[in-house]
Amino acid sequence: QVQLVESGGGLVQPGGSLRLSCAASGSIFRMGWYRQAQGKTRESVATITSGGITNYADSVKGRFTISRDNKNTVYLQMNSLEVEDTAVYYCYVMEWGGPAYWGRGTKDTVSS
């Protein structure tokens, strides 16, 4: 079974940066981050496959960068943060074969 350990997030001013990380065990096909703002549905932010294929939400292209190392740890570097980026960010992991797992979430607040 997949085990997840999330870290990062917090309070940052507009224009600042945050770096999220998620370490997963198991045989992973795709990892990434989703987010859910207050009163809104959860949406995909950025994902990366074991082959290095990335997928970004249009709202974060050019500002966020997702990467992955050899130990199944995914990183989300978030630059030029905006108030609209405020949300709970959830690590997402999908094993080969389909089962998916979610982290508990980390709150990222962008505010002056």
Side-chain angles (χ1 to χ4, degrees), residues 56-75:
Y56 294 94
D58 289 340
S59 60
V60 306
K61 288 182 178 178
R63 300 187 298 119
F64 292 10
T65 302
I66 190 168
S67 60
R68 185 177 179 179
D69 66 16
N70 295 328
K71 297 182 179 180
N72 284 341
T73 298
V74 65
Y75 303 91

Side-chain angles (χ1 to χ4, degrees), residues 61-91:
K61 288 182 178 178
R63 300 187 298 119
F64 292 10
T65 302
I66 190 168
S67 60
R68 185 177 179 179
D69 66 16
N70 295 328
K71 297 182 179 180
N72 284 341
T73 298
V74 65
Y75 303 91
L76 185 66
Q77 181 66 44
M78 304 186 291
N79 298 326
S80 301
L81 284 164
E82 304 168 352
V83 173
E84 291 76 15
D85 295 316
T86 297
V88 177
Y89 285 70
Y90 298 89
C91 180

Side-chain angles (χ1 to χ4, degrees), residues 25-59:
S25 62
S27 182
I28 307 303
F29 168 64
R30 184 168 66 237
M31 298 181 65
W33 295 90
Y34 283 63
R35 69 185 181 188
Q36 186 169 15
Q38 185 84 346
K40 297 185 178 181
T41 58
R42 190 175 300 183
E43 63 177 358
S44 177
V45 178
T47 60
I48 185 169
T49 69
S50 60
I53 304 299
T54 59
N55 194 337
Y56 294 94
D58 289 340
S59 60

Side-chain angles (χ1 to χ4, degrees), residues 81-109:
L81 284 164
E82 304 168 352
V83 173
E84 291 76 15
D85 295 316
T86 297
V88 177
Y89 285 70
Y90 298 89
C91 180
Y92 165 87
V93 175
M94 188 172 76
E95 290 184 302
W96 287 96
Y101 302 84
W102 296 93
R104 291 186 175 183
T106 179
K107 176 68 175 181
D108 296 333
T109 301

